[in-house]
Amino acid sequence: MLSNRRLLRVRLFLEGAVVGIFTGVIVAALRFLLDEADIYRPKIFAQLDGAADFLLAIGVMILVAEFLARAVKFDAQVAGSGVPQLKGILQGRARMVKPLRLLAVKFAATVVGIGAGLSLGRAGISVQFGAAVGNVFTKIIYANNRQHEEVEGNFLLTAGAGAGLAAIFNAPLAGVIFCIEELRKRFSQEILIAAVTAAVSASFVVKIVFGVRPVFETITATPLHVPSVMTLPTLEMAAGLTAAPLKFAGLFVLLGMICGAAGAFFSKALLFALDTCDRLRLFGVRRFAIPLLMAIPLGMWLPQVLGCGNVLVDELLSTYPALSLLIILLAGKVLYTLICFGTNAPGGLFLPVLVVGALIGNIFARAGNGLSLFTAEWTTLFIIFGMAAFFAAVVKAPVTGSVLLLELTGQFEHLTGLIVVSGAAFLVSDLCGGEPIFSALLERKKPSPIDKG
């Protein structure tokens, strides 16, 4: 006869699969709608011409702001990325009262807000959606068993969160590691079983059943024709390197250090943006109208900074923009992300953080190329390493970031380099006083009656 713990593992395996499947369906729909928005948004802004068009655009943006304000007022957990709220629930500091309502309202608010151009991500939202699915399933199955609901509920909440991250990036291993490294910060076989099953199931649904395109199409659609960090000595002549292999490897550490310092500043700036909106007493429609109205001129003259930014990363990987444009894009993406995030609108941070890291890596590569330290073929690798490093500096989850980029690229020979650059970024960010952004947001958050139930 099976012991209670073994029965628990069997249940978690089966329940994790169900949670993963439903999470995959929801995330697939979210990705599809936001991908469509990325296609049609630039076309709409390009057609604006004349006073009537601008007045119509302003009216639409005010209506979007009104919708977001009503959504956040209706359910306070709709605001923000959802990851800090989830960490609070797992720590017993809050609870998810009405997960179905949260799913419906935040889904609509996310599609409308980011679709209109807000520079926010969809991965954090997907994490919260997965957790909500786990919570719904727990309430249904264990409605009359309080003990099972509390014990297995937390496991399924965590597993659903990992499934959400796995589905949005098609990176099941990163989803599992995120559960352990960032959400639970501890390992157990029960967490592993539920998280692995949910992440794999969600990724399967998104990739196989729905056939949804990967987040970064250029990374996953074509192999990386760049030298491997592990084989620098043998490829020195072929790559046209002028620096010694050891010095060249030091460039990756230098990139990590730059991303670490920049990540610490970015984390502090995010908190400052939220505090500034509160100090200026910008609430309701006015709070969301500011970034939405800014999206109109940006959509006309700098459309790359709008939305999640995955399209911009694809452009960086497939084109060779001028250095001046890269600097403008970096400044624009950072500033507009800070303004959007400062409103606490529905939307996450993962994708904007990865985009900023890609821009830093591209600028770094362009500078090195200009100094004749290496050839242009290394640019792609620096972009990818920049993404992992900046993620590690802001989220303070270096293993998750390394594995995420490893799964996105499929180039396992870069694992050591990704860990090194992420580790350097993590250390420098820590020395610069950078806090894990989601923990900092949780500590800053004032619990609302909805959070307390």
Side-chain angles (χ1 to χ4, degrees):
M1 186 174 180
L2 293 175
S3 65
N4 289 336
R5 188 168 185 181
R6 287 176 177 171
L7 284 173
L8 172 62
R9 292 172 183 171
V10 173
R11 287 200 304 270
L12 288 175
F13 179 86
L14 299 174
E15 293 164 357
V18 175
V19 169
I21 290 171
F22 280 96
T23 299
V25 172
I26 295 171
V27 173
L30 178 69
R31 285 176 56 175
F32 173 78
L33 292 174
L34 291 180
D35 283 347
E36 291 298 300
D38 285 336
I39 294 173
Y40 290 105
R41 187 195 312 114
K43 297 179 180 179
I44 293 173
F45 281 121
Q47 296 298 319
L48 295 182
D49 183 25
D53 288 346
F54 284 107
L55 288 175
L56 178 61
I58 291 171
V60 170
M61 290 304 185
I62 291 175
L63 287 176
V64 172
E66 176 69 25
F67 177 77
L68 295 180
R70 290 180 178 272
V72 171
K73 185 177 181 180
F74 184 66
D75 190 335
Q77 290 187 343
V78 169
S81 73
V83 178
Q85 295 95 315
L86 178 57
K87 288 173 69 70
I89 292 170
L90 291 173
Q91 294 175 15
R93 299 164 60 172
R95 67 189 184 92
M96 193 176 292
V97 181
K98 296 182 178 180
L100 283 176
R101 182 180 73 179
L102 173 65
L103 276 169
V105 177
K106 193 154 190 173
F107 186 96
T110 300
V111 171
V112 171
I114 298 178
L118 292 180
S119 179
L120 296 169
R122 50 192 177 182
I125 301 294
S126 300
V127 168
Q128 189 180 26
F129 285 171
V133 171
N135 189 269
V136 170
F137 186 75
T138 302
K139 290 179 181 294
I140 293 174
I141 299 299
Y142 300 110
N144 299 319
N145 193 325
R146 183 68 176 174
Q147 183 179 1
H148 279 300
E149 182 180 354
E150 290 181 356
V151 174
E152 297 185 34
N154 275 347
F155 288 139
L156 294 182
L157 205 73
T158 306
L165 186 67
I168 202 67
F169 287 115
N170 190 26
L173 185 56
V176 173
I177 294 176
F178 178 74
C179 293
I180 298 171
E181 184 179 30
E182 174 61 22
L183 295 181
R184 298 302 292 259
K185 296 188 181 299
R186 66 183 182 87
F187 174 84
S188 75
Q189 292 181 340
E190 287 74 21
I191 293 175
L192 184 64
I193 290 171
V196 168
T197 309
V200 172
S201 300
S203 184
F204 175 82
V205 169
V206 171
K207 184 177 180 180
I208 305 300
V209 178
F210 289 90
V212 179
R213 296 181 300 274
V215 173
F216 302 122
E217 294 184 66
T218 306
I219 286 184
T220 51
T222 58
L224 297 180
H225 298 293
V226 294
S228 169
V229 183
M230 297 299 293
T231 57
L232 281 175
T234 59
L235 289 173
E236 181 176 356
M237 295 302 295
L241 303 179
T242 59
L246 184 60
K247 291 183 179 180
F248 189 85
L251 290 173
F252 293 98
V253 177
L254 178 60
L255 174 61
M257 294 172 66
I258 292 172
C259 287
F265 168 79
F266 186 75
S267 297
K268 294 176 182 179
L270 288 170
L271 299 174
F272 177 78
L274 287 165
D275 293 337
T276 299
C277 276
D278 289 345
R279 283 197 299 268
L280 295 176
R281 302 190 63 79
L282 295 172
F283 301 108
V285 178
R286 290 184 301 166
R287 192 177 183 101
F288 302 115
I290 293 174
L292 286 167
L293 291 175
M294 289 178 63
I296 298 174
L298 287 173
M300 296 176 63
W301 296 307
L302 202 65
Q304 299 95 325
V305 305
L306 300 183
C308 300
N310 49 296
V311 176
L312 175 56
V313 173
D314 285 331
E315 291 180 6
L316 295 178
L317 291 165
S318 59
T319 61
Y320 198 75
L323 180 59
S324 57
L325 177 59
L326 289 174
I327 295 173
I328 292 172
L329 288 173
L330 176 61
K333 188 65 178 177
V334 169
L335 290 175
Y336 191 54
T337 299
L338 292 176
I339 293 171
C340 293
F341 193 81
T343 66
N344 211 22
L349 271 177
F350 283 80
L351 271 172
V353 164
L354 291 174
V355 173
V356 172
L359 286 165
I360 293 175
N362 201 334
I363 293 171
F364 184 89
R366 197 64 58 82
N369 188 216
L371 295 172
S372 299
L373 296 177
F374 46 83
T375 57
E377 66 182 22
W378 287 84
T379 302
T380 300
L381 193 61
F382 277 111
I383 290 174
I384 293 168
F385 277 29
M387 294 166 71
F390 198 71
F391 182 93
V394 175
V395 182
K396 290 297 187 71
V399 180
T400 300
S402 299
V403 173
L404 174 61
L405 270 299
L406 185 69
E407 288 188 280
L408 288 176
T409 61
Q411 303 290 306
F412 289 87
E413 62 267 28
H414 298 309
L415 176 60
T416 301
L418 285 168
I419 292 176
V420 169
V421 74
S422 298
F426 180 92
L427 178 60
V428 171
S429 175
D430 201 48
L431 292 174
C432 292
E435 300 179 69
I437 186 60
F438 294 126
S439 297
L441 290 171
L442 175 62
E443 294 303 321
R444 179 193 177 279
K445 187 175 182 291
K446 300 177 180 64
S448 70
I450 292 179
D451 294 328
K452 294 178 180 178

